[in-house]
Amino acid sequence: MRFLHSADWQLGMTRHFLDEDAQARYSQARIDAVRTLARIAGETECAFAVVSGDVFEHNQLDRRTVARALDALRAFTVPVYLLPGNHDPLDAASIFRSAAFVEGQPDGVHVLTSRDAIEVAPGVEIVGVPWTSKRPLQDLVADTLGELAAAPGIVRVMVAHGGVDVLSPDAADPALIELARVEAALADGRIHYLALGDRHSLTSVGGSGRVWYPGAPEPTAFRELDAGKALVVEIDGERCDVTPHTIGTWRFVDGTYQLDGDGDLDGLAEELDSMPDRERTVLRVVLRGTLTLTQKARLDDMMAQARDVFAGVEEWERHTDLAVRPDDADFADLDVAGFAKDAVDELRAAAAGSDESAATARDALSLLLRLAGRRT
Ligand SMILES: [Mn+2]
């Protein structure tokens, strides 16, 4: 018995560091990911697919986003079971009850609206644990396990959402899933797999090999460790084999660069040029070191060019520590005269200080050098 386990699609998500054009490509990639999941479910001969919560970014999305999601879901040739999570809880305003969803819902797409066991194939049951609010006040998985009895001959997959106590630093959260209870239920045969969602990084929880977060199918943030995957789970008697498949096409890349001269800038330029899939890569850079004004102008040019080709380039201000030191050589062959030369001399005098106006003067000189076309 084989099935596909995905989660955390969060369709409709926007990212502040993407411009309009990159955001459109990112949204499309996330819809395409749904079709990739459908293809993999077919190719690996899965009996069904589960999405363990947070299918949608929130409950108030425009009709078009819902319609496009449902259109992509039509690509599945096996039944798909969607679980409401904390982003899209099954409350009064649930997106799963919206006209856009209900009118467009394909036949094979089901929403897990209750904790009742559903027979999805001969001898196979799903037990969903839907979120009905954004902040449950108890461990919903423990509650549901308490209502279950082992059913000999039935393979049971529980589909749930949220943090697990052994991984969460926030012990005060009453909704945390207690892993010990889950492992007891696996041991006595009440369930055979717990399909979780919420963490965007692929994660196996505990020692059973039967409790997994597949992670988001496309990465959504820099801190994620192993996003862009989905799982094909095969349960056969005592065996449970879990195989990750790569779905995602976008990358979030962190880089820290020590820049103390032209050699370091050459290295940075080479690294940016050799990165693959730049139009689908969001870069976050931490810049450290000391550059002359001319070198800073060259760096600004490089970053401007990178912004043109990468999906996004963020300078991580909080960790950036880049000093700019005007150097006589910066101005040696700057060909200005008259009032322009007077302005340069005034700015150079102002730039020597350490206050805010000195920083402004250095920025102005750096821009002047850039505009004057200096490169070395
Ligand atoms: Mn979540």
Side-chain angles (χ1 to χ4, degrees):
M1 192 281 287
R2 216 176 291 136
F3 64 96
L4 183 91
H5 174 198
S6 182
D8 301 281
W9 294 357
Q10 289 183 228
L11 298 173
M13 170 191 273
T14 57
R15 305 275 76 177
H16 69 89
F17 41 76
L18 298 177
D19 63 21
E20 203 178 324
D21 180 55
Q23 177 67 53
R25 283 182 281 129
Y26 184 61
S27 298
Q28 184 61 47
R30 294 157 55 71
I31 289 284
D32 291 344
V34 174
R35 296 197 171 91
T36 304
L37 291 166
R39 177 174 56 74
I40 287 172
E43 284 173 2
T44 56
E45 297 179 8
C46 285
F48 60 94
V50 299
V51 186
S52 304
D54 293 353
V55 174
F56 294 104
E57 175 71 350
H58 48 77
N59 273 337
Q60 286 81 36
L61 291 172
D62 59 57
R63 283 188 67 95
R64 175 180 289 187
T65 303
V66 176
R68 295 185 70 212
L70 293 171
D71 192 48
L73 275 161
R74 273 191 195 91
F76 277 90
T77 53
V78 297
V80 184
Y81 295 86
L82 308 176
L83 183 81
N86 63 304
H87 276 264
D88 49 6
L90 199 64
D91 58 17
S94 170
I95 195 158
F96 296 109
R97 291 174 173 143
S98 69
F101 187 90
V102 173
E103 286 163 16
Q105 186 173 358
D107 280 344
V109 174
H110 311 277
V111 181
L112 296 167
T113 55
S114 81
R115 303 182 194 175
D116 298 337
I118 300 168
E119 186 177 60
V120 293
V124 183
E125 285 181 1
I126 285 181
V127 179
V129 187
W131 283 45
T132 54
S133 75
K134 276 188 177 291
R135 294 194 191 286
L137 296 173
Q138 71 279 356
D139 176 351
L140 301 174
V141 169
D143 284 1
T144 313
L145 289 172
E147 296 161 6
L148 279 181
I154 301 281
V155 172
R156 230 183 235 149
V157 176
M158 181 170 274
V159 183
H161 192 86
V164 173
D165 58 356
V166 294
L167 297 176
S168 173
D170 181 14
D173 180 354
L176 283 182
I177 298 163
E178 199 182 318
L179 182 64
R181 288 176 194 262
V182 173
E183 292 189 329
L186 288 165
D188 66 23
R190 275 175 288 161
I191 62 171
H192 300 86
Y193 184 87
L194 176 60
L196 286 173
D198 199 37
R199 285 171 82 85
H200 290 191
S201 305
L202 173 66
T203 311
S204 170
V205 186
S208 67
R210 292 170 183 257
V211 181
W212 285 80
Y213 291 98
E218 279 286 358
T220 63
F222 291 100
R223 62 181 183 280
E224 296 161 0
L225 295 176
D226 198 6
K229 304 274 167 56
L231 299 173
V232 171
V233 181
E234 182 164 7
I235 298 175
D236 182 8
E238 294 302 300
R239 270 187 34 241
C240 175
D241 295 325
V242 178
T243 309
H245 288 254
T246 296
I247 308 295
T249 59
W250 278 58
R251 295 195 311 145
F252 286 67
V253 177
D254 264 313
T256 297
Y257 300 95
Q258 182 72 32
L259 304 173
D260 290 304
D262 282 307
D264 294 331
L265 291 173
D266 291 344
L268 173 59
E270 216 167 281
E271 190 173 327
L272 295 180
D273 278 349
S274 62
M275 264 190 212
D277 304 327
R278 291 191 285 275
E279 76 279 12
R280 296 193 300 272
T281 300
V282 189
L283 191 63
R284 180 170 64 181
V285 294
V286 170
L287 305 174
R288 300 205 170 113
T290 306
L291 296 177
T292 68
L293 274 171
T294 309
Q295 289 160 350
K296 176 63 164 55
R298 181 183 169 203
L299 173 66
D300 290 343
D301 269 347
M302 277 167 51
M303 296 317 282
Q305 282 168 23
R307 280 192 185 87
D308 288 339
V309 293
F310 280 83
V313 178
E314 263 209 311
E315 284 178 48
W316 200 359
E317 302 273 345
R318 189 148 53 93
H319 298 282
T320 284
D321 183 15
L322 192 66
V324 179
R325 171 178 50 79
D327 183 300
D328 283 347
D330 285 331
F331 309 98
D333 31 79
L334 184 61
D335 191 15
V336 291
F339 71 86
K341 183 171 186 315
D342 292 344
V344 169
D345 290 343
E346 260 179 60
L347 285 169
R348 286 184 68 181
S354 57
D355 56 1
E356 204 176 306
S357 67
T360 307
R362 285 193 290 273
D363 284 346
L365 284 167
S366 182
L367 180 61
L368 179 83
L369 290 174
R370 253 183 101 187
L371 294 176
R374 292 277 309 271
R375 287 294 181 276
T376 50

mmCIF file of all heavy atoms in Angstrom, residues 93-131:
data_model
loop_
_atom_site.group_PDB
_atom_site.id
_atom_site.type_symbol
_atom_site.label_atom_id
_atom_site.label_comp_id
_atom_site.label_asym_id
_atom_site.label_seq_id
_atom_site.Cartn_x
_atom_site.Cartn_y
_atom_site.Cartn_z
ATOM 1 N N ALA A 93 -15.312 30.931 8.638
ATOM 2 C CA ALA A 93 -14.894 31.603 7.404
ATOM 3 C C ALA A 93 -14.038 30.685 6.532
ATOM 4 O O ALA A 93 -13.339 31.152 5.635
ATOM 5 C CB ALA A 93 -14.108 32.866 7.750
ATOM 6 N N SER A 94 -14.100 29.369 6.785
ATOM 7 C CA SER A 94 -13.197 28.437 6.102
ATOM 8 C C SER A 94 -13.224 28.563 4.581
ATOM 9 O O SER A 94 -14.288 28.617 3.957
ATOM 10 C CB SER A 94 -13.576 27.003 6.477
ATOM 11 O OG SER A 94 -12.862 26.107 5.643
ATOM 12 N N ILE A 95 -12.043 28.584 4.020
ATOM 13 C CA ILE A 95 -11.929 28.650 2.557
ATOM 14 C C ILE A 95 -12.483 27.369 1.919
ATOM 15 O O ILE A 95 -12.953 27.375 0.787
ATOM 16 C CB ILE A 95 -10.457 28.900 2.157
ATOM 17 C CG1 ILE A 95 -10.355 29.334 0.695
ATOM 18 C CG2 ILE A 95 -9.574 27.677 2.432
ATOM 19 C CD1 ILE A 95 -9.085 30.082 0.369
ATOM 20 N N PHE A 96 -12.447 26.264 2.688
ATOM 21 C CA PHE A 96 -12.943 24.984 2.159
ATOM 22 C C PHE A 96 -14.477 24.981 2.039
ATOM 23 O O PHE A 96 -15.058 24.081 1.447
ATOM 24 C CB PHE A 96 -12.486 23.824 3.047
ATOM 25 C CG PHE A 96 -10.990 23.656 3.062
ATOM 26 C CD1 PHE A 96 -10.248 23.977 4.184
ATOM 27 C CD2 PHE A 96 -10.319 23.193 1.935
ATOM 28 C CE1 PHE A 96 -8.865 23.822 4.194
ATOM 29 C CE2 PHE A 96 -8.944 23.038 1.933
ATOM 30 C CZ PHE A 96 -8.205 23.359 3.067
ATOM 31 N N ARG A 97 -15.123 25.994 2.674
ATOM 32 C CA ARG A 97 -16.583 26.106 2.550
ATOM 33 C C ARG A 97 -16.973 27.283 1.671
ATOM 34 O O ARG A 97 -18.145 27.600 1.529
ATOM 35 C CB ARG A 97 -17.211 26.290 3.936
ATOM 36 C CG ARG A 97 -17.100 25.046 4.794
ATOM 37 C CD ARG A 97 -17.609 25.317 6.193
ATOM 38 N NE ARG A 97 -17.654 24.102 6.982
ATOM 39 C CZ ARG A 97 -17.367 24.031 8.270
ATOM 40 N NH1 ARG A 97 -17.024 25.128 8.941
ATOM 41 N NH2 ARG A 97 -17.433 22.896 8.914
ATOM 42 N N SER A 98 -15.972 27.965 1.104
ATOM 43 C CA SER A 98 -16.266 29.138 0.265
ATOM 44 C C SER A 98 -16.897 28.682 -1.051
ATOM 45 O O SER A 98 -16.705 27.535 -1.490
ATOM 46 C CB SER A 98 -14.979 29.913 -0.028
ATOM 47 O OG SER A 98 -14.132 29.157 -0.882
ATOM 48 N N ALA A 99 -17.660 29.591 -1.662
ATOM 49 C CA ALA A 99 -18.316 29.255 -2.931
ATOM 50 C C ALA A 99 -17.272 28.868 -3.977
ATOM 51 O O ALA A 99 -17.452 27.910 -4.726
ATOM 52 C CB ALA A 99 -19.143 30.454 -3.411
ATOM 53 N N ALA A 100 -16.165 29.600 -3.999
ATOM 54 C CA ALA A 100 -15.137 29.333 -5.005
ATOM 55 C C ALA A 100 -14.617 27.902 -4.883
ATOM 56 O O ALA A 100 -14.412 27.216 -5.881
ATOM 57 C CB ALA A 100 -13.982 30.323 -4.859
ATOM 58 N N PHE A 101 -14.439 27.445 -3.641
ATOM 59 C CA PHE A 101 -13.913 26.091 -3.445
ATOM 60 C C PHE A 101 -14.981 25.040 -3.747
ATOM 61 O O PHE A 101 -14.754 24.098 -4.513
ATOM 62 C CB PHE A 101 -13.382 25.923 -2.013
ATOM 63 C CG PHE A 101 -12.687 24.606 -1.803
ATOM 64 C CD1 PHE A 101 -11.320 24.484 -2.027
ATOM 65 C CD2 PHE A 101 -13.391 23.478 -1.411
ATOM 66 C CE1 PHE A 101 -10.673 23.256 -1.869
ATOM 67 C CE2 PHE A 101 -12.759 22.249 -1.257
ATOM 68 C CZ PHE A 101 -11.402 22.145 -1.481
ATOM 69 N N VAL A 102 -16.146 25.219 -3.143
ATOM 70 C CA VAL A 102 -17.198 24.196 -3.252
ATOM 71 C C VAL A 102 -17.646 24.029 -4.710
ATOM 72 O O VAL A 102 -17.829 22.914 -5.197
ATOM 73 C CB VAL A 102 -18.384 24.556 -2.332
ATOM 74 C CG1 VAL A 102 -19.550 23.605 -2.554
ATOM 75 C CG2 VAL A 102 -17.935 24.528 -0.873
ATOM 76 N N GLU A 103 -17.768 25.162 -5.416
ATOM 77 C CA GLU A 103 -18.228 25.085 -6.816
ATOM 78 C C GLU A 103 -17.185 24.448 -7.726
ATOM 79 O O GLU A 103 -17.520 23.804 -8.717
ATOM 80 C CB GLU A 103 -18.571 26.487 -7.330
ATOM 81 C CG GLU A 103 -19.880 27.013 -6.756
ATOM 82 C CD GLU A 103 -20.025 28.529 -6.918
ATOM 83 O OE1 GLU A 103 -19.267 29.112 -7.723
ATOM 84 O OE2 GLU A 103 -20.887 29.099 -6.230
ATOM 85 N N GLY A 104 -15.897 24.626 -7.390
ATOM 86 C CA GLY A 104 -14.856 24.115 -8.282
ATOM 87 C C GLY A 104 -14.225 22.816 -7.838
ATOM 88 O O GLY A 104 -13.350 22.271 -8.526
ATOM 89 N N GLN A 105 -14.662 22.288 -6.685
ATOM 90 C CA GLN A 105 -14.011 21.109 -6.106
ATOM 91 C C GLN A 105 -14.111 19.890 -7.022
ATOM 92 O O GLN A 105 -15.202 19.403 -7.308
ATOM 93 C CB GLN A 105 -14.682 20.801 -4.754
ATOM 94 C CG GLN A 105 -14.014 19.694 -3.962
ATOM 95 C CD GLN A 105 -14.622 19.555 -2.566
ATOM 96 O OE1 GLN A 105 -15.520 20.317 -2.175
ATOM 97 N NE2 GLN A 105 -14.157 18.580 -1.826
ATOM 98 N N PRO A 106 -12.979 19.364 -7.488
ATOM 99 C CA PRO A 106 -13.026 18.193 -8.369
ATOM 100 C C PRO A 106 -13.512 16.952 -7.609
ATOM 101 O O PRO A 106 -13.377 16.886 -6.389
ATOM 102 C CB PRO A 106 -11.570 18.010 -8.818
ATOM 103 C CG PRO A 106 -10.867 19.280 -8.464
ATOM 104 C CD PRO A 106 -11.602 19.850 -7.297
ATOM 105 N N ASP A 107 -14.049 15.987 -8.330
ATOM 106 C CA ASP A 107 -14.622 14.786 -7.709
ATOM 107 C C ASP A 107 -13.642 14.057 -6.791
ATOM 108 O O ASP A 107 -14.009 13.591 -5.728
ATOM 109 C CB ASP A 107 -15.087 13.810 -8.800
ATOM 110 C CG ASP A 107 -16.435 14.234 -9.352
ATOM 111 O OD1 ASP A 107 -17.103 15.065 -8.694
ATOM 112 O OD2 ASP A 107 -16.804 13.762 -10.441
ATOM 113 N N GLY A 108 -12.411 13.944 -7.197
ATOM 114 C CA GLY A 108 -11.459 13.143 -6.418
ATOM 115 C C GLY A 108 -10.807 13.891 -5.278
ATOM 116 O O GLY A 108 -9.945 13.345 -4.587
ATOM 117 N N VAL A 109 -11.200 15.154 -5.067
ATOM 118 C CA VAL A 109 -10.561 15.957 -4.019
ATOM 119 C C VAL A 109 -11.491 16.062 -2.813
ATOM 120 O O VAL A 109 -12.633 16.505 -2.944
ATOM 121 C CB VAL A 109 -10.207 17.368 -4.559
ATOM 122 C CG1 VAL A 109 -9.679 18.256 -3.430
ATOM 123 C CG2 VAL A 109 -9.173 17.246 -5.671
ATOM 124 N N HIS A 110 -10.996 15.614 -1.661
ATOM 125 C CA HIS A 110 -11.812 15.572 -0.445
ATOM 126 C C HIS A 110 -11.170 16.412 0.647
ATOM 127 O O HIS A 110 -9.949 16.496 0.726
ATOM 128 C CB HIS A 110 -11.935 14.126 0.050
ATOM 129 C CG HIS A 110 -12.321 13.160 -1.027
ATOM 130 N ND1 HIS A 110 -13.623 12.965 -1.411
ATOM 131 C CD2 HIS A 110 -11.561 12.387 -1.838
ATOM 132 C CE1 HIS A 110 -13.658 12.081 -2.409
ATOM 133 N NE2 HIS A 110 -12.415 11.720 -2.685
ATOM 134 N N VAL A 111 -12.013 16.999 1.496
ATOM 135 C CA VAL A 111 -11.502 17.749 2.641
ATOM 136 C C VAL A 111 -11.795 16.935 3.897
ATOM 137 O O VAL A 111 -12.904 16.428 4.080
ATOM 138 C CB VAL A 111 -12.177 19.137 2.740
ATOM 139 C CG1 VAL A 111 -11.604 19.919 3.921
ATOM 140 C CG2 VAL A 111 -11.978 19.910 1.441
ATOM 141 N N LEU A 112 -10.774 16.778 4.742
ATOM 142 C CA LEU A 112 -10.934 16.014 5.979
ATOM 143 C C LEU A 112 -11.569 16.938 7.019
ATOM 144 O O LEU A 112 -10.894 17.669 7.728
ATOM 145 C CB LEU A 112 -9.575 15.482 6.450
ATOM 146 C CG LEU A 112 -8.922 14.486 5.480
ATOM 147 C CD1 LEU A 112 -7.461 14.240 5.835
ATOM 148 C CD2 LEU A 112 -9.706 13.173 5.447
ATOM 149 N N THR A 113 -12.902 16.903 7.077
ATOM 150 C CA THR A 113 -13.636 17.845 7.933
ATOM 151 C C THR A 113 -13.958 17.268 9.307
ATOM 152 O O THR A 113 -14.478 17.975 10.163
ATOM 153 C CB THR A 113 -14.952 18.274 7.252
ATOM 154 O OG1 THR A 113 -15.687 17.089 6.937
ATOM 155 C CG2 THR A 113 -14.695 19.067 5.990
ATOM 156 N N SER A 114 -13.703 15.975 9.511
ATOM 157 C CA SER A 114 -13.996 15.392 10.829
ATOM 158 C C SER A 114 -12.898 14.382 11.160
ATOM 159 O O SER A 114 -12.026 14.103 10.347
ATOM 160 C CB SER A 114 -15.346 14.684 10.817
ATOM 161 O OG SER A 114 -15.199 13.397 10.237
ATOM 162 N N ARG A 115 -12.968 13.854 12.384
ATOM 163 C CA ARG A 115 -11.966 12.866 12.806
ATOM 164 C C ARG A 115 -12.442 11.437 12.548
ATOM 165 O O ARG A 115 -11.826 10.485 13.015
ATOM 166 C CB ARG A 115 -11.673 13.043 14.288
ATOM 167 C CG ARG A 115 -11.198 14.440 14.634
ATOM 168 C CD ARG A 115 -10.900 14.470 16.112
ATOM 169 N NE ARG A 115 -10.742 15.829 16.601
ATOM 170 C CZ ARG A 115 -10.572 16.123 17.882
ATOM 171 N NH1 ARG A 115 -10.542 15.163 18.781
ATOM 172 N NH2 ARG A 115 -10.437 17.374 18.273
ATOM 173 N N ASP A 116 -13.547 11.303 11.830
ATOM 174 C CA ASP A 116 -14.052 9.956 11.531
ATOM 175 C C ASP A 116 -13.106 9.240 10.572
ATOM 176 O O ASP A 116 -12.597 9.840 9.625
ATOM 177 C CB ASP A 116 -15.435 10.047 10.864
ATOM 178 C CG ASP A 116 -16.464 10.688 11.783
ATOM 179 O OD1 ASP A 116 -16.251 10.648 13.012
ATOM 180 O OD2 ASP A 116 -17.454 11.248 11.268
ATOM 181 N N ALA A 117 -12.893 7.950 10.835
ATOM 182 C CA ALA A 117 -12.053 7.155 9.941
ATOM 183 C C ALA A 117 -12.742 7.021 8.584
ATOM 184 O O ALA A 117 -13.957 6.828 8.508
ATOM 185 C CB ALA A 117 -11.805 5.779 10.547
ATOM 186 N N ILE A 118 -11.968 7.193 7.524
ATOM 187 C CA ILE A 118 -12.510 7.087 6.164
ATOM 188 C C ILE A 118 -11.788 5.937 5.474
ATOM 189 O O ILE A 118 -10.553 5.891 5.467
ATOM 190 C CB ILE A 118 -12.231 8.388 5.371
ATOM 191 C CG1 ILE A 118 -12.886 9.595 6.046
ATOM 192 C CG2 ILE A 118 -12.699 8.258 3.925
ATOM 193 C CD1 ILE A 118 -12.394 10.906 5.470
ATOM 194 N N GLU A 119 -12.552 5.016 4.883
ATOM 195 C CA GLU A 119 -11.907 3.935 4.137
ATOM 196 C C GLU A 119 -11.525 4.467 2.757
ATOM 197 O O GLU A 119 -12.380 4.914 1.985
ATOM 198 C CB GLU A 119 -12.824 2.721 4.005
ATOM 199 C CG GLU A 119 -12.073 1.565 3.357
ATOM 200 C CD GLU A 119 -12.905 0.292 3.267
ATOM 201 O OE1 GLU A 119 -13.971 0.342 2.621
ATOM 202 O OE2 GLU A 119 -12.465 -0.730 3.816
ATOM 203 N N VAL A 120 -10.215 4.499 2.464
ATOM 204 C CA VAL A 120 -9.754 5.093 1.213
ATOM 205 C C VAL A 120 -9.351 4.039 0.193
ATOM 206 O O VAL A 120 -9.180 4.336 -0.989
ATOM 207 C CB VAL A 120 -8.571 6.059 1.456
ATOM 208 C CG1 VAL A 120 -9.037 7.270 2.243
ATOM 209 C CG2 VAL A 120 -7.414 5.367 2.157
ATOM 210 N N ALA A 121 -9.169 2.816 0.655
ATOM 211 C CA ALA A 121 -8.846 1.681 -0.213
ATOM 212 C C ALA A 121 -9.198 0.449 0.613
ATOM 213 O O ALA A 121 -9.348 0.560 1.834
ATOM 214 C CB ALA A 121 -7.359 1.699 -0.584
ATOM 215 N N PRO A 122 -9.337 -0.703 -0.007
ATOM 216 C CA PRO A 122 -9.675 -1.895 0.791
ATOM 217 C C PRO A 122 -8.636 -2.108 1.895
ATOM 218 O O PRO A 122 -7.439 -2.191 1.622
ATOM 219 C CB PRO A 122 -9.630 -3.028 -0.241
ATOM 220 C CG PRO A 122 -9.852 -2.352 -1.567
ATOM 221 C CD PRO A 122 -9.238 -0.991 -1.445
ATOM 222 N N GLY A 123 -9.082 -2.117 3.149
ATOM 223 C CA GLY A 123 -8.178 -2.355 4.273
ATOM 224 C C GLY A 123 -7.327 -1.164 4.667
ATOM 225 O O GLY A 123 -6.398 -1.301 5.457
ATOM 226 N N VAL A 124 -7.635 0.013 4.117
ATOM 227 C CA VAL A 124 -6.835 1.209 4.441
ATOM 228 C C VAL A 124 -7.757 2.336 4.890
ATOM 229 O O VAL A 124 -8.726 2.665 4.200
ATOM 230 C CB VAL A 124 -6.018 1.701 3.217
ATOM 231 C CG1 VAL A 124 -5.151 2.899 3.607
ATOM 232 C CG2 VAL A 124 -5.165 0.577 2.636
ATOM 233 N N GLU A 125 -7.450 2.917 6.052
ATOM 234 C CA GLU A 125 -8.241 4.033 6.564
ATOM 235 C C GLU A 125 -7.378 5.272 6.790
ATOM 236 O O GLU A 125 -6.211 5.166 7.160
ATOM 237 C CB GLU A 125 -8.858 3.659 7.926
ATOM 238 C CG GLU A 125 -10.030 2.712 7.837
ATOM 239 C CD GLU A 125 -10.618 2.385 9.206
ATOM 240 O OE1 GLU A 125 -10.136 2.899 10.239
ATOM 241 O OE2 GLU A 125 -11.576 1.602 9.237
ATOM 242 N N ILE A 126 -8.013 6.426 6.578
ATOM 243 C CA ILE A 126 -7.402 7.701 6.954
ATOM 244 C C ILE A 126 -8.182 8.251 8.131
ATOM 245 O O ILE A 126 -9.424 8.214 8.134
ATOM 246 C CB ILE A 126 -7.486 8.720 5.790
ATOM 247 C CG1 ILE A 126 -6.486 8.381 4.698
ATOM 248 C CG2 ILE A 126 -7.211 10.132 6.284
ATOM 249 C CD1 ILE A 126 -6.532 9.391 3.560
ATOM 250 N N VAL A 127 -7.448 8.761 9.127
ATOM 251 C CA VAL A 127 -8.099 9.506 10.205
ATOM 252 C C VAL A 127 -7.519 10.918 10.183
ATOM 253 O O VAL A 127 -6.332 11.116 10.464
ATOM 254 C CB VAL A 127 -7.855 8.850 11.579
ATOM 255 C CG1 VAL A 127 -8.521 9.675 12.678
ATOM 256 C CG2 VAL A 127 -8.394 7.418 11.587
ATOM 257 N N GLY A 128 -8.351 11.878 9.811
ATOM 258 C CA GLY A 128 -7.903 13.269 9.761
ATOM 259 C C GLY A 128 -8.079 13.947 11.105
ATOM 260 O O GLY A 128 -9.000 13.614 11.855
ATOM 261 N N VAL A 129 -7.187 14.877 11.407
ATOM 262 C CA VAL A 129 -7.316 15.675 12.631
ATOM 263 C C VAL A 129 -7.318 17.151 12.207
ATOM 264 O O VAL A 129 -6.304 17.838 12.283
ATOM 265 C CB VAL A 129 -6.154 15.384 13.612
ATOM 266 C CG1 VAL A 129 -6.393 16.100 14.943
ATOM 267 C CG2 VAL A 129 -5.989 13.885 13.827
ATOM 268 N N PRO A 130 -8.488 17.623 11.713
ATOM 269 C CA PRO A 130 -8.526 18.992 11.198
ATOM 270 C C PRO A 130 -8.440 20.037 12.309
ATOM 271 O O PRO A 130 -8.893 19.798 13.419
ATOM 272 C CB PRO A 130 -9.904 19.061 10.511
ATOM 273 C CG PRO A 130 -10.739 18.043 11.209
ATOM 274 C CD PRO A 130 -9.788 16.939 11.598
ATOM 275 N N TRP A 131 -7.852 21.179 11.979
ATOM 276 C CA TRP A 131 -7.861 22.322 12.900
ATOM 277 C C TRP A 131 -9.165 23.079 12.655
ATOM 278 O O TRP A 131 -9.530 23.352 11.509
ATOM 279 C CB TRP A 131 -6.676 23.243 12.647
ATOM 280 C CG TRP A 131 -5.373 22.733 13.192
ATOM 281 C CD1 TRP A 131 -4.894 21.449 13.080
ATOM 282 C CD2 TRP A 131 -4.397 23.470 13.929
ATOM 283 N NE1 TRP A 131 -3.671 21.352 13.699
ATOM 284 C CE2 TRP A 131 -3.334 22.577 14.225
ATOM 285 C CE3 TRP A 131 -4.296 24.792 14.353
ATOM 286 C CZ2 TRP A 131 -2.203 22.983 14.935
ATOM 287 C CZ3 TRP A 131 -3.163 25.189 15.063
ATOM 288 C CH2 TRP A 131 -2.134 24.282 15.365
#
